[in-house]
C-alpha cells in the first residue's frame, strides 16, 4: 500500500484538524485558516473539508499541505509520522471509505450550490444575531432575533451538512424540499430586505 493511500484510509480530516490545532465544535464548522474568516465557514467532514467562504476544499493531505505550506508528498509524510502510520502496515482502525455515489447533474449541482449559498448567508446572520441580541441579564426579555438564532442554527447546520456532504440522493432530496418549500424563499427575502436596509 502506498503512502498516500495509507494516509487517506487511516486519518480523517477531523482527526488532522484536531491534532493541528483547528478549534472544532460539535457541528465541525470552523473558521477557515485560509482566508480572513469572521464566522465559521469551513465544514470538516471525515474525508474532506469545504469552505463556503473562499471555496477551499480537499482531503486530509490537502488540508495538511495548506496548513503547513508543504507539498502533497511532504504533507503525507508528516501525517504518517504524526499518526504513527506505515505504508506497509496501516493501523487496524483505518477508516473504510464508502464508494462514491453517482454525481448529480450540472443543473442539480447548481440548485444544491444555490441552496448552500442562501443557507450559509442565513447562518452568518444567525451567528450575528446570537451574539448581538443576546440578553445581558436573565430578566431582560428575549429578542425575537436571538430566539430565532437559537431555534434555527441547528436546523441550518443539518441542512448544510446534508447538502455539502450527504450522499447524492440525499443532497438532491434536500435541495428539492428547500426549493419547493417555504424556508428558502423566506430566508432569501429576509436577506434581501436586510441588504436593502444596509444600503439605504
Amino acid at each position: 500500500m502506498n503512502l498516500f493511500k495509507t494516509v487517506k484510509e487511516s486519518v480523517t480530516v477531523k482527526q488532522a484538524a484536531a491534532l493541528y490545532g483547528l478549534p472544532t465544535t460539535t457541528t465541525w464548522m470552523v473558521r477557515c485558516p485560509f482566508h480572513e474568516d469572521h464566522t465559521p465557514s469551513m465544514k470538516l467532514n471525515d474525508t474532506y473539508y469545504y469552505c463556503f467562504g473562499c471555496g477551499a476544499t480537499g482531503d486530509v493531505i490537502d488540508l495538511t499541505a495548506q496548513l503547513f505550506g508543504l507539498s502533497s508528498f511532504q504533507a503525507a509524510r508528516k501525517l504518517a509520522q504524526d499518526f504513527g502510520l506505515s505504508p506497509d502496515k496501516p493501523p487496524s482502525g483505518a477508516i473504510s471509505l464508502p464508494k462514491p455515489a453517482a454525481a448529480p447533474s450540472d443543473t442539480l449541482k447548481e440548485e444544491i450550490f444555490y441552496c448552500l449559498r442562501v443557507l450559509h448567508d442565513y447562518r452568518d446572520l444567525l451567528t450575528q444575531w446570537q451574539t448581538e441580541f443576546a440578553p445581558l441579564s436573565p430578566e431582560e426579555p428575549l429578542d425575537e432575533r436571538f430566539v430565532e438564532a437559537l431555534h434555527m442554527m441547528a436546523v441550518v447546520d443539518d441542512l448544510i451538512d446534508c447538502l455539502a456532504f450527504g450522499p447524492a440522493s440525499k443532497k438532491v432530496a434536500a435541495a428539492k424540499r428547500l426549493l419547493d418549500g417555504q424556508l428558502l424563499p423566506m430566508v432569501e427575502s429576509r436577506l434581501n430586505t436586510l441588504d436593502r436596509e444596509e444600503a439605504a
Side-chain angles (χ1 to χ4, degrees):
M1 185 177 289
N2 65 44
L3 177 62
F4 287 89
K5 187 173 182 180
T6 297
V7 169
K8 290 181 183 181
E9 292 186 354
S10 304
V11 184
T12 68
V13 168
K14 293 177 180 179
Q15 289 171 332
L19 180 67
Y20 297 142
L22 287 183
T24 58
T25 66
T26 54
T27 62
W28 293 99
M29 291 292 296
V30 301
R31 291 188 178 184
C32 178
F34 308 129
H35 77 283
E36 189 175 349
D37 197 6
H38 300 293
T39 59
S41 59
M42 177 180 281
K43 177 70 175 182
L44 303 179
N45 192 35
D46 280 334
T47 56
Y48 59 98
Y49 62 93
Y50 179 76
C51 177
F52 297 98
C54 69
T57 187
D59 57 29
V60 66
I61 294 174
D62 298 319
L63 177 67
T64 305
Q66 289 196 59
L67 283 174
F68 296 98
L70 304 174
S71 68
S72 295
F73 181 69
Q74 290 171 328
R77 286 180 58 186
K78 176 174 178 58
L79 285 160
Q81 181 177 6
D82 292 345
F83 283 89
L85 306 178
S86 167
D88 299 321
K89 188 179 180 181
S92 58
I95 60 174
S96 178
L97 305 183
K99 293 182 179 179
S105 67
D106 289 342
T107 300
L108 288 172
K109 285 180 181 178
E110 290 178 5
E111 292 177 346
I112 291 169
F113 182 77
Y114 164 71
C115 292
L116 281 169
R117 179 181 59 78
V118 175
L119 288 172
H120 185 65
D121 288 346
Y122 184 42
R123 191 186 190 283
D124 285 345
L125 181 64
L126 294 176
T127 300
Q128 176 186 335
W129 284 354
Q130 199 166 0
T131 302
E132 186 175 342
F133 300 107
L136 300 178
S137 70
E139 295 77 21
E140 183 179 342
L142 296 179
D143 188 286
E144 62 181 14
R145 288 160 291 191
F146 176 74
V147 174
E148 181 176 341
L150 292 181
H151 283 301
M152 293 303 297
M153 186 69 80
V155 174
V156 172
D157 281 342
D158 286 344
L159 287 169
I160 289 175
D161 189 59
C162 178
L163 288 166
F165 306 112
S169 59
K170 289 190 176 181
K171 289 182 180 181
V172 172
K176 180 173 175 55
R177 285 197 305 272
L178 285 168
L179 292 168
D180 293 343
Q182 300 297 317
L183 176 62
L184 210 64
M186 179 275 290
V187 168
E188 191 164 32
S189 174
R190 176 170 292 182
L191 292 171
N192 289 336
T193 299
L194 290 171
D195 286 342
R196 288 194 297 270
E197 290 175 353
E198 290 179 1

